[in-house]
Amino acid sequence: MTTYSATEVFLAVSAELSRETPAHERFQRLLQGLRQVFPCDAAALLQLHESTLIPLAADGLSPDTLGRRFVVDEHPRFARILLSHEPVRFAADSPLPDPYDGLINAPPEQLHVHDCLGIALHVDERPWGVLTLDALEPDSFDRIDPQELRTFVRLTEASVKISNLIARLQQRADQSQQMARALIDELGQQNLLGQSKAMQTLRAEIDMVAHSDLTVLITGETGVGKELVARQLHAASGRANAPLVYVNCAALPENLVESELFGHTRGAFSGAAQSRAGRFELAHGGTLFLDEVGELPLAVQAKLLRALQNGEIQRVGSDHPHHVDVRIIAATNRDLQQEVAGGQFRADLYHRLSVYPIRVPSLRERGRDVLLLAGHFLEQNRRRLGLRGLRLEPAAREQLVQYNWPGNVRELEHLIGRAALRAQAGVDSRRRLASIGPPLLDLDAPAKMVNPASAEPPPLAGTGQAGENLRTATDAFQRQLIEHCLQQHQGNRAAAARALGIDRANLSRLLKRLSLGESAQAGKRSSR
């Protein structure tokens, strides 16, 4: 077999790359070259962010590794590597737990790493991260030439510096914009995980609009991470040092929405014992995030429009307007254009909110990003449950990729949490290394939409004729389901809302929109 020196491999890899090559792909090629030179089953490059090591590339490890975050204080091997200026090797019988146990692509009987080598990387004489090599066979690294290894380390550090330089050249010259991008890059590494084309497009959209004061409307299905996008936009804006005020429009009682948004004066209504600033005033100089904006009542929408147009608000009970300097970011899982057509949302407000629309992709559009996210949640649960290691079996990984994810990232988070808890029950207390297979994921059974008030769901209302659109059919089904649930609970709205899994204020708005107020009261009277 032909052997290559570290320098030859590095030059060959560099020749294949261009300035436009993404950093993660650049580092991935570097690791593949590393494994051509040195005998190992896996290699990884991790960057140090404060006290946490974040994987940038991995070769030979499970795909979910890239979604994990390794707190240095919880992994003594990483701590020892970072403290040394020389390569650190760990013997097969080392008592220090290996952070990669269970993560190497190998048969189950060979999951435990037996030969480990780590090197601290320094850029501009500062700790930057670590390069790790792992082998399943003991004594695999006996034949490594120390000089050849040091050469590759120096070349890796040079590659990191080149990547940093390219990133700086691609940033705008404006210093404030550079700082904003640095901040969003750091936050994005931790929150907006994913390497898919859909996520690259989303990050580009965030970069483009974040530094402006344009109003942004974030759309997407439930559970895709719209709030994270809003936080990224604020963190990368010129308002990052000012407040980001969050408002869940769906959870506000209808009779208090105006007071919550705009504030009130003392005595403005029963119970208003003192004056109170609203969310707009609290967000002055910063950003106001209106989550579930599609749930706002029409009467409040008109007053919100005035605030957006003139930057003026008026407290409930006051005749004096207040000027506020606020950037608006709104989010919804509704089709607001359809809501406008149905008369449920003001057209002028929609156009004010959607100055710059950003759509967050669903999880099923993101391909193998699901494995990075799974790794992130696996590491969270490993730490929470006190496990030495928590891994996904290959069959389980494939199930995650093939599943449709109607609940998106939030569903994945909850599923991993449940599976981790189940896996913990079967763990040997001495080893504390747990594996999650398909049975623990429990993804085989198709999801069923059932009536929460009855074991048998009511049939879908509607004629099924060609002239009937989706909105009409959906409203008919919602109307029938809510009526049935109210009857089951003798007209008790609070109990019905709990059974339906929605907020009581949201149920009240649905009753009003679907013209169910009178029938609900009638159902309550008939039950007495």
Side-chain angles (χ1 to χ4, degrees):
M1 184 179 70
T2 305
T3 59
Y4 301 93
S5 70
T7 304
E8 288 172 332
V9 168
F10 181 82
L11 291 175
V13 170
S14 299
E16 296 177 1
L17 303 177
S18 67
R19 174 173 165 174
E20 287 72 28
T21 305
H24 69 86
E25 185 177 337
R26 184 182 299 273
F27 294 140
Q28 190 69 34
R29 300 270 189 91
L30 188 68
L31 293 183
Q32 291 168 358
L34 171 72
R35 293 184 64 189
Q36 292 180 32
V37 180
F38 304 107
C40 62
D41 295 290
L45 180 68
L46 302 93
Q47 185 175 5
L48 184 65
H49 281 263
E50 296 183 350
S51 60
T52 302
L53 283 168
I54 298 176
L56 299 184
D59 195 57
L61 296 173
S62 62
D64 57 89
T65 303
L66 294 179
R68 296 175 183 255
R69 300 295 179 261
F70 299 96
V71 179
V72 175
D73 289 344
E74 298 177 4
H75 295 283
R77 292 200 185 197
F78 282 142
R80 182 173 293 183
I81 293 170
L82 286 167
L83 289 173
S84 175
H85 285 270
E86 294 293 327
V88 178
R89 186 174 173 186
F90 299 93
D93 58 352
S94 171
L96 299 179
D98 193 303
Y100 297 151
D101 259 358
L103 298 183
I104 287 190
N105 292 327
E109 63 274 10
Q110 290 185 296
L111 284 175
H112 295 285
V113 182
H114 296 293
D115 210 351
C116 308
L117 184 68
I119 311 101
L121 301 176
H122 294 79
V123 174
D124 296 330
E125 299 183 356
R126 294 182 179 181
W128 182 88
V130 299
L131 181 67
T132 62
L133 292 78
D134 293 275
L136 298 172
E137 293 295 329
D139 307 322
S140 293
F141 299 144
D142 287 350
R143 299 179 297 277
I144 284 184
D145 180 352
Q147 186 59 40
E148 191 82 349
L149 181 61
R150 290 190 184 91
T151 300
F152 201 94
V153 169
R154 300 291 86 79
L155 294 173
T156 301
E157 291 171 340
S159 181
V160 168
K161 292 184 71 171
I162 292 171
S163 293
N164 290 344
L165 177 61
I166 291 173
R168 285 196 295 270
L169 289 174
Q170 290 174 338
Q171 293 173 349
R172 299 188 178 184
D174 183 81
Q175 185 62 31
S176 63
Q177 178 66 6
Q178 289 183 8
M179 293 172 63
R181 282 175 180 258
L183 176 59
I184 197 169
D185 285 345
E186 181 176 345
L187 291 173
Q189 290 277 0
Q190 301 174 15
N191 296 321
L192 287 178
L193 294 173
Q195 299 173 351
S196 63
K197 182 66 176 177
M199 288 303 292
Q200 291 176 30
T201 300
L202 176 62
R203 289 195 187 95
E205 294 276 10
I206 292 173
D207 283 347
M208 189 179 303
V209 74
H211 66 281
S212 75
D213 268 348
L214 293 180
T215 301
V216 178
L217 178 63
I218 306 170
T219 60
E221 299 175 8
T222 297
V224 294
K226 294 186 288 294
E227 183 180 346
L228 286 180
V229 172
R231 293 186 182 280
Q232 298 289 295
L233 287 166
H234 175 73
S237 73
R239 300 171 179 263
N241 293 325
L244 169 64
V245 177
Y246 172 84
V247 181
N248 184 353
C249 300
L252 295 177
E254 187 171 355
N255 60 332
L256 294 178
V257 172
E258 190 176 348
S259 170
E260 284 291 325
L261 290 178
F262 308 120
H264 61 256
T265 61
R266 180 179 179 182
F269 50 84
S270 178
Q274 59 185 10
S275 296
R276 180 173 178 271
R279 304 295 178 89
F280 267 88
E281 290 182 70
L282 294 175
H284 181 68
T287 303
L288 182 64
F289 177 44
L290 301 174
D291 198 11
E292 302 295 348
V293 71
E295 307 299 330
L296 285 176
L298 282 168
V300 178
Q301 290 179 27
K303 298 187 177 182
L304 177 59
L305 179 65
R306 177 186 175 187
L308 294 179
Q309 287 175 328
N310 307 321
E312 288 186 353
I313 62 165
Q314 195 168 306
R315 291 186 180 184
V316 177
S318 172
D319 295 327
H320 304 290
H322 290 259
H323 180 78
V324 289
D325 173 23
V326 171
R327 184 197 190 171
I328 298 293
I329 298 176
T332 182
N333 58 10
R334 289 181 176 272
D335 184 340
L336 290 189
Q337 287 183 311
Q338 197 173 64
E339 295 288 308
V340 169
Q344 305 303 320
F345 202 85
R346 292 180 62 105
D348 45 8
L349 178 58
Y350 168 71
H351 292 299
R352 282 283 177 180
L353 291 174
S354 59
V355 175
Y356 197 100
I358 290 181
R359 178 182 172 275
V360 184
S362 63
L363 187 52
R364 59 184 168 276
E365 297 174 68
R366 297 173 54 182
R368 300 186 72 82
D369 278 355
V370 65
L371 297 180
L372 273 68
L373 291 161
H376 176 72
F377 297 134
L378 284 166
E379 187 63 20
Q380 283 185 342
N381 283 278
R382 182 200 65 78
R383 287 156 54 187
R384 178 174 60 84
L385 297 174
L387 295 168
R388 176 174 174 176
L390 183 61
R391 64 179 290 271
L392 281 172
E393 295 178 3
R397 294 202 296 266
E398 191 59 30
Q399 265 201 344
L400 293 182
V401 173
Q402 296 299 325
Y403 186 59
N404 196 42
W405 297 111
N408 292 292
V409 179
R410 187 179 297 124
E411 181 184 4
L412 173 64
E413 179 182 9
H414 295 165
L415 180 137
I416 294 294
R418 291 193 300 271
L421 197 61
R422 294 166 181 160
Q424 182 195 31
V427 167
D428 182 342
S429 59
R430 293 168 298 177
R431 295 185 64 86
R432 307 297 288 170
L433 177 61
S435 293
I436 295 176
L440 296 185
L441 292 179
D442 194 24
L443 283 176
D444 292 329
K448 297 179 180 179
M449 287 289 292
V450 298
N451 182 357
S454 170
E456 291 296 327
L460 178 63
T463 64
Q465 297 175 356
E468 181 180 46
N469 60 28
L470 178 62
R471 173 67 188 226
T472 304
T474 302
D475 285 353
F477 176 69
Q478 287 183 330
R479 188 177 291 107
Q480 186 174 358
L481 182 64
I482 291 172
E483 284 179 334
H484 184 77
C485 195
L486 283 168
Q487 289 174 5
Q488 291 289 320
H489 292 278
Q490 293 77 47
N492 186 318
R493 292 189 181 186
R498 285 194 296 271
L500 289 165
I502 61 176
D503 184 84
R504 183 177 177 180
N506 201 7
L507 175 60
S508 297
R509 280 191 282 273
L510 278 172
L511 291 171
K512 185 176 180 180
R513 182 170 71 82
L514 299 171
S515 303
L516 284 174
E518 294 182 4
S519 62
Q521 291 297 326
K524 188 172 183 177
R525 288 193 296 269
S526 64
S527 66
R528 291 174 179 172

